[in-house]
Amino acid sequence: MARLKKILVANRGEIACRIIKTAHKMGLECVAVYSDADRDALHVQMADQAVYIGPSPAAQSYLLMERIVEAALETGANAIHPGYGFLAENPGFVDLAEGAGLVFIGPSADAMRKMGLKDAAKKLMEQAGVPVVPGYHGDNQEADFLARQAEKIGYPVLIKARAGGGGKGMREVTAPNEFHQALASAQREGQASFGDPCVLIEKLISSPRHIEVQIFGDNFGNVIHLFERDCSLQRRHQKVIEEAPAPGMSQQMRDAMTKAAVRAAKAINYSGAGTMEFIVDGTSALSVDRFWFMEMNTRLQVEHPVTEAITGHDLVEWQIRVAAGEPLPQTQNQQKITGHAFEARLYAEDPANGFTPSTGTLAYLGFGGGRKDIGVVQGGRVSPFYDPMIAKIITHGSTRSEALAKLRAGLAQTHVAGVKTNAAFLYALCEDDDFNAGNVDTGLIGHKIKALTTLPPPDGFVILCAAISALKLDFADPYSGWRLWGEARHGVELVFNKQLISASVSIGPDRNVQLRYDGAELALENIDQHENRISALVNGVVVGAEIINYRTRLGSYAISVLRNGHTFVFDVADPLAPGVLEANSDDEIVSPMTGVVSIVDVKPGDVVEAGARLLVIEAMKMELAVTAPRACRVSEVLCAEMDPVEEGAVMVRFAKDLEG
Ligand code: ADP
């Protein structure tokens, strides 16, 4: 590492943390950059130094190349790692960094330019003898001309923004009469997202699989491949679960694909980590004449950990070594696949609600064993400004089924409270028969989306867990048993999915419990509690769940119960329930988010009805009205209009009673 001592990581979240980990392992110092929203972020805590680069929106911080290069020079960093996303594939950033005398940990600006636009990349690949999807990728962008090209290719076709990424600017067209409208909307999206309305047209491959090859080059003309990854489990062209190697891959097919990938990388003198993405006909067994180059990603991929798991290499370490001027650490002949690996992307989003991002404070974060690449901490926030990925869960096993069983087990133990996540959706995927059999294609999730996103209702045991938590019954305390018997029956009201559940819990001797709710009855024996976990015998079968109690954005209490890979969130309905009363949340109102108070409706002495608006807070064009949780008399107002407030700050206090 003669040339590299200190690396500036021009990114955030899990990938910034991932890079810092390896750099530290190699004895290198790291400089983090951060925006307003990331002041307390994990990558900032992990780095040796951190530089503030601007407001939360990426365009005012993580995309400011000059500011980032300046931060590197200010802190004496001599290299920049871009991670993925943001500036990672921006050749202008490479030029700027290198012009300032910094080492860019990635390929040359020239290689990026060659592969940056999908149409140019395809032409280049054709020249290098790599099969590309049949289609039109020329300069003529005239609508009628493109429509004729689509006819020539044969419907169905796919229109793609040539500057596209992340599935944006892509439109499937099944018939000629839909062409013009689809073209216009792809062009609009290309212009809006990438500032480039140009498109290419491709044959739409039916039941395709996405298989990509990891390649690695150095500055001495060496290029090797590190096998393939299958990323066919996608939702709207975005990867959900990735694996390596690809299921059903034959040696012949692997040879053909990896040879094409290495040839393509050599054609552009590629150095560093890169990925050749191919689309593969998945209608039957993989066949060497039915795979086509789609695009090259000139950076580290999100899903690189599955390759690390089956090869045993640290790809970030390889990137740093190559950038420092060392030759590739190993040759092609030394490469070997060991076992099978999966990666699942855990997102803060709501699958039941069209996968809308779910922002908020991570009240609790719990995971199973094995590798997790995480970029957040418990108590931290998922902000609306960036990709809402919470973590990547990576498993490795000697066989595919062993690695998949580990992934399922890992997801079953993934418990996130405070924001909604796709954990149950990922868990349901792990139970899917086709996925288990290796019958994957990019349409699998779409075809089964309903089943994969329909949550089972909470069963009796889950309701019991929520009731125990709301009632603050403590079965871990050896004395609580007999202290509780006396009070024969405890009633509680819970809210699940906006529905009221009235439940009662009766405790008998020997830790036997009777639960009644909504006309149902459940008898449980041997109830046992250990920290957050509750278990019991139901009809002779042991059942268990994990319970987390937390304060919501609006200051009330919620209970999150994790059982069989599903998380059920309950609100405690009755403000007089012990849990809520003890927490005193009913006597004050805290700010649900950081922002500015735009309206204050009340003053001390006012008597308001339940649901009345107390004040309005504004943040990032979002307005939130804060209302009274019950009829009450205001005793104190601790903020004024235009005051900035922090999430969690007390804003209004109520008197104990309505009369003054
Ligand atoms: P982006 O750069 O926006 O991610 P890609 O070109 O990598 O776009 O394609 C993303 C995904 O779209 C692929 O993984 C695949 O699922 C699907 N796709 C791309 N090209 C085709 C095609 N010709 N036929 C069918 N599906 C395709």
Side-chain angles (χ1 to χ4, degrees):
M1 289 302 101
R3 287 166 64 208
L4 300 191
K5 283 202 178 64
K6 201 185 220 183
I7 298 175
L8 180 136
V9 182
N11 216 301
R12 63 175 304 284
E14 70 86 17
I15 193 59
C17 299
R18 159 80 192 85
I19 293 162
I20 294 170
K21 235 180 238 167
T22 288
H24 281 170
K25 184 185 81 181
M26 297 171 74
L28 302 169
E29 277 182 73
C30 287
V31 180
V33 291
Y34 65 94
S35 67
D36 281 326
D38 280 339
R39 279 180 191 284
D40 303 317
L42 185 58
H43 75 281
V44 174
Q45 295 172 26
M46 283 175 68
D48 304 287
Q49 245 175 305
V51 180
Y52 171 75
I53 51 169
S56 306
Q60 297 170 46
S61 49
Y62 295 105
L63 290 172
L64 293 179
M65 334 193 220
E66 284 86 4
R67 180 73 194 97
I68 291 171
V69 167
E70 213 174 89
L73 297 175
E74 271 166 26
T75 52
N78 50 4
I80 293 190
H81 195 308
Y84 56 70
F86 297 130
L87 296 167
E89 292 180 278
N90 187 326
F93 184 49
V94 183
D95 287 338
L96 199 70
E98 290 179 349
L102 301 165
V103 174
F104 181 80
I105 303 176
S108 67
D110 177 58
M112 267 186 201
R113 286 201 172 93
K114 286 188 169 126
M115 286 298 179
L117 296 176
K118 290 181 203 282
D119 53 353
K122 284 208 164 113
K123 274 182 220 154
L124 201 89
M125 289 302 101
E126 267 179 331
Q127 283 161 19
V130 175
V132 304
V133 187
Y136 175 76
H137 30 82
D139 294 330
N140 192 338
Q141 294 289 311
E142 207 249 314
D144 288 329
F145 174 81
L146 291 174
R148 281 197 299 282
Q149 293 300 316
E151 294 273 0
K152 218 155 119 197
I153 296 161
Y155 283 94
V157 299
L158 190 66
I159 304 175
K160 280 188 190 179
R162 68 168 187 183
K168 282 217 179 94
M170 273 182 17
R171 294 291 181 280
E172 289 183 19
V173 194
T174 46
N177 64 345
E178 299 163 6
F179 185 83
H180 283 280
Q181 204 184 343
L183 174 66
S185 87
Q187 287 169 328
R188 260 197 315 275
E189 200 164 303
Q191 177 64 43
S193 306
F194 314 103
D196 181 353
C198 293
V199 298
L200 53 144
I201 301 174
E202 277 179 9
K203 176 100 196 131
L204 183 82
I205 311 292
S206 65
S207 304
R209 282 175 65 176
H210 174 121
I211 301 179
E212 56 185 35
V213 176
Q214 174 72 55
I215 59 102
F216 233 105
D218 63 17
N219 296 311
F220 304 92
N222 303 306
V223 177
I224 67 170
H225 71 82
L226 299 174
F227 312 104
E228 78 282 359
R229 295 181 284 259
D230 192 310
C231 311
S232 299
L233 286 194
Q234 303 183 349
R235 194 184 70 81
R236 302 202 170 171
H237 305 304
Q238 304 229 29
K239 297 163 187 169
V240 175
I241 293 182
E242 303 98 340
E243 63 180 299
M249 180 58 91
S250 64
Q251 196 49 51
Q252 201 193 7
M253 181 77 171
R254 178 173 293 134
D255 285 346
M257 293 187 75
T258 54
K259 265 200 192 107
V262 169
R263 194 162 60 234
K266 281 194 169 153
I268 54 166
N269 287 323
Y270 197 80
S271 154
T275 296
M276 299 290 175
E277 295 191 332
F278 295 97
I279 190 159
V280 180
D281 182 352
T283 46
S284 52
L286 299 175
S287 157
V288 292
D289 55 0
R290 293 207 307 277
F291 74 90
W292 303 275
F293 171 82
M294 251 189 323
E295 66 167 348
M296 179 176 190
N297 291 321
T298 52
R299 54 164 162 85
L300 194 69
Q301 297 275 92
V302 177
E303 58 274 22
H304 76 277
V306 292
T307 299
E308 296 186 320
I310 61 159
T311 60
H313 306 322
D314 178 335
L315 296 196
V316 174
E317 181 181 339
W318 280 37
Q319 285 188 298
I320 294 172
R321 290 195 181 284
V322 165
E326 292 184 22
L328 282 178
Q330 291 193 354
T331 62
Q332 189 67 65
N333 288 338
Q334 290 172 284
Q335 306 315 310
K336 177 167 153 285
I337 296 177
T338 305
H340 203 103
F342 285 95
E343 172 185 281
R345 300 185 185 192
L346 182 70
Y347 275 100
E349 63 187 12
D350 184 3
N353 196 6
F355 290 86
T356 44
S358 174
T359 58
T361 300
L362 293 158
Y364 180 80
L365 263 186
F367 294 101
R371 176 170 175 181
K372 278 99 41 189
D373 283 12
I374 309 179
V376 293
V377 284
Q378 185 169 307
R381 240 175 290 166
V382 178
S383 87
F385 302 104
Y386 317 110
D387 182 80
M389 187 156 74
I390 297 172
K392 306 188 299 203
I393 296 166
I394 300 120
T395 62
H396 182 242
S398 56
T399 61
R400 184 174 190 269
S401 59
E402 186 189 318
L404 186 51
K406 283 186 183 167
L407 182 63
R408 189 169 47 233
L411 287 165
Q413 291 176 65
T414 299
H415 196 173
V416 179
V419 298
K420 298 203 164 110
T421 78
N422 64 341
F425 165 71
L426 295 170
Y427 183 82
L429 262 175
C430 289
E431 299 213 298
D432 179 77
D433 289 342
D434 282 319
F435 181 35
N436 273 272
N439 295 330
V440 291
D441 68 47
T442 63
L444 184 147
I445 289 178
H447 293 140
K448 305 187 181 195
I449 194 73
K450 198 124 200 167
L452 292 170
T453 54
T454 307
L455 283 184
D459 63 15
F461 181 65
V462 169
I463 290 169
L464 176 78
C465 289
I468 286 173
S469 179
L471 290 163
K472 299 240 144 123
L473 302 179
D474 185 3
F475 290 91
D477 174 359
Y479 299 106
S480 85
W482 53 264
R483 205 168 58 221
L484 294 168
W485 309 330
E487 313 162 34
R489 203 162 153 170
H490 309 258
V492 67
E493 302 215 304
L494 303 163
V495 176
F496 179 78
N497 234 346
K498 302 195 179 109
Q499 306 258 327
L500 188 72
I501 301 173
S502 298
S504 75
V505 180
S506 313
I507 300 159
D510 301 330
R511 294 177 173 259
N512 291 350
V513 166
Q514 191 91 22
L515 170 78
R516 293 188 189 81
Y517 68 101
D518 295 346
E521 240 185 78
L522 185 72
L524 301 102
E525 293 165 66
N526 266 352
I527 191 149
D528 202 10
Q529 192 170 359
H530 185 69
E531 288 175 358
N532 295 331
R533 288 201 61 80
I534 292 193
S535 65
L537 274 179
V538 180
N539 297 328
V541 178
V542 182
V543 292
E546 186 177 80
I547 309 176
I548 297 301
N549 219 300
Y550 66 100
R551 202 163 182 166
T552 68
R553 287 156 71 96
L554 295 169
S556 64
Y557 265 79
I559 297 159
S560 179
V561 181
L562 175 73
R563 173 155 153 71
N564 289 343
H566 292 108
T567 299
F568 302 92
V569 179
F570 296 85
D571 292 303
V572 179
D574 182 0
L576 297 176
V580 174
L581 244 189
E582 274 165 30
N584 181 37
S585 69
D586 201 35
D587 288 343
E588 58 189 36
I589 289 287
V590 300
S591 175
M593 63 181 186
T594 298
V596 174
V597 179
S598 54
I599 302 173
V600 178
D601 295 298
V602 291
K603 56 183 189 311
D606 285 357
V607 173
V608 294
E609 294 186 1
R613 193 176 83 178
L614 303 173
L615 40 84
V616 177
I617 302 168
E618 222 181 275
M620 267 303 288
K621 298 183 199 109
M622 185 164 85
E623 279 206 333
L624 204 93
V626 178
T627 56
R630 58 174 166 92
C632 49
R633 185 165 54 85
V634 175
S635 66
E636 265 180 280
V637 178
L638 297 108
C639 57
E641 281 173 19
M642 298 318 289
D643 276 358
V645 282
E646 283 285 315
E647 178 180 342
V650 178
M651 299 185 300
V652 176
R653 286 211 172 90
F654 303 127
K656 289 271 169 259
D657 44 40
L658 288 176
E659 314 292 299

PDB file of all heavy atoms in Angstrom, residues 157 167 238 248 329 332 360 473 618:
ATOM      1  N   VAL A 157     -41.511  -5.755 -27.589  1.00  0.00           N
ATOM      2  CA  VAL A 157     -40.201  -5.124 -27.480  1.00  0.00           C
ATOM      3  C   VAL A 157     -40.086  -4.372 -26.156  1.00  0.00           C
ATOM      4  O   VAL A 157     -41.086  -4.184 -25.454  1.00  0.00           O
ATOM      5  CB  VAL A 157     -39.939  -4.128 -28.635  1.00  0.00           C
ATOM      6  CG1 VAL A 157     -39.975  -4.823 -29.981  1.00  0.00           C
ATOM      7  CG2 VAL A 157     -40.917  -2.947 -28.577  1.00  0.00           C
ATOM      8  N   GLY A 167     -33.771   0.300 -13.490  1.00  0.00           N
ATOM      9  CA  GLY A 167     -35.076  -0.019 -14.092  1.00  0.00           C
ATOM     10  C   GLY A 167     -35.844   1.209 -14.557  1.00  0.00           C
ATOM     11  O   GLY A 167     -36.965   1.091 -15.045  1.00  0.00           O
ATOM     12  N   GLN A 238     -36.001  -4.422 -10.357  1.00  0.00           N
ATOM     13  CA  GLN A 238     -35.040  -4.155  -9.286  1.00  0.00           C
ATOM     14  C   GLN A 238     -34.786  -5.449  -8.533  1.00  0.00           C
ATOM     15  O   GLN A 238     -35.708  -6.173  -8.184  1.00  0.00           O
ATOM     16  CB  GLN A 238     -35.616  -3.131  -8.305  1.00  0.00           C
ATOM     17  CG  GLN A 238     -36.026  -1.863  -9.009  1.00  0.00           C
ATOM     18  CD  GLN A 238     -35.488  -0.641  -8.320  1.00  0.00           C
ATOM     19  OE1 GLN A 238     -34.437  -0.688  -7.680  1.00  0.00           O
ATOM     20  NE2 GLN A 238     -36.195   0.461  -8.452  1.00  0.00           N
ATOM     21  N   GLY A 248     -28.794 -24.313 -11.854  1.00  0.00           N
ATOM     22  CA  GLY A 248     -28.896 -24.964 -13.163  1.00  0.00           C
ATOM     23  C   GLY A 248     -27.770 -24.618 -14.113  1.00  0.00           C
ATOM     24  O   GLY A 248     -27.820 -24.950 -15.296  1.00  0.00           O
ATOM     25  N   PRO A 329      -4.471 -10.027  -7.041  1.00  0.00           N
ATOM     26  CA  PRO A 329      -3.891 -10.899  -6.016  1.00  0.00           C
ATOM     27  C   PRO A 329      -3.825 -12.369  -6.446  1.00  0.00           C
ATOM     28  O   PRO A 329      -3.016 -13.121  -5.935  1.00  0.00           O
ATOM     29  CB  PRO A 329      -4.841 -10.743  -4.828  1.00  0.00           C
ATOM     30  CG  PRO A 329      -5.571  -9.475  -5.071  1.00  0.00           C
ATOM     31  CD  PRO A 329      -5.643  -9.299  -6.552  1.00  0.00           C
ATOM     32  N   GLN A 332      -6.590 -16.665 -12.631  1.00  0.00           N
ATOM     33  CA  GLN A 332      -7.835 -17.369 -12.934  1.00  0.00           C
ATOM     34  C   GLN A 332      -7.800 -18.812 -12.435  1.00  0.00           C
ATOM     35  O   GLN A 332      -8.784 -19.312 -11.889  1.00  0.00           O
ATOM     36  CB  GLN A 332      -8.095 -17.356 -14.446  1.00  0.00           C
ATOM     37  CG  GLN A 332      -9.472 -17.873 -14.827  1.00  0.00           C
ATOM     38  CD  GLN A 332     -10.574 -16.937 -14.348  1.00  0.00           C
ATOM     39  OE1 GLN A 332     -10.680 -15.804 -14.784  1.00  0.00           O
ATOM     40  NE2 GLN A 332     -11.394 -17.402 -13.421  1.00  0.00           N
ATOM     41  N   GLY A 360     -38.698   6.801   9.200  1.00  0.00           N
ATOM     42  CA  GLY A 360     -38.935   6.934  10.633  1.00  0.00           C
ATOM     43  C   GLY A 360     -37.725   6.469  11.428  1.00  0.00           C
ATOM     44  O   GLY A 360     -36.669   6.174  10.876  1.00  0.00           O
ATOM     45  N   LEU A 473     -47.469  -7.678  32.076  1.00  0.00           N
ATOM     46  CA  LEU A 473     -47.365  -8.900  32.877  1.00  0.00           C
ATOM     47  C   LEU A 473     -45.965  -9.437  32.669  1.00  0.00           C
ATOM     48  O   LEU A 473     -45.470  -9.455  31.544  1.00  0.00           O
ATOM     49  CB  LEU A 473     -48.387  -9.937  32.408  1.00  0.00           C
ATOM     50  CG  LEU A 473     -49.851  -9.484  32.445  1.00  0.00           C
ATOM     51  CD1 LEU A 473     -50.747 -10.596  31.946  1.00  0.00           C
ATOM     52  CD2 LEU A 473     -50.230  -9.098  33.870  1.00  0.00           C
ATOM     53  N   GLU A 618     -43.666  21.247   9.865  1.00  0.00           N
ATOM     54  CA  GLU A 618     -43.338  21.140   8.455  1.00  0.00           C
ATOM     55  C   GLU A 618     -41.897  20.695   8.305  1.00  0.00           C
ATOM     56  O   GLU A 618     -41.020  21.152   9.028  1.00  0.00           O
ATOM     57  CB  GLU A 618     -43.475  22.535   7.851  1.00  0.00           C
ATOM     58  CG  GLU A 618     -44.140  22.578   6.510  1.00  0.00           C
ATOM     59  CD  GLU A 618     -44.198  23.994   5.997  1.00  0.00           C
ATOM     60  OE1 GLU A 618     -45.160  24.689   6.376  1.00  0.00           O
ATOM     61  OE2 GLU A 618     -43.292  24.387   5.264  1.00  0.00           O
TER      62      GLU A 618
END
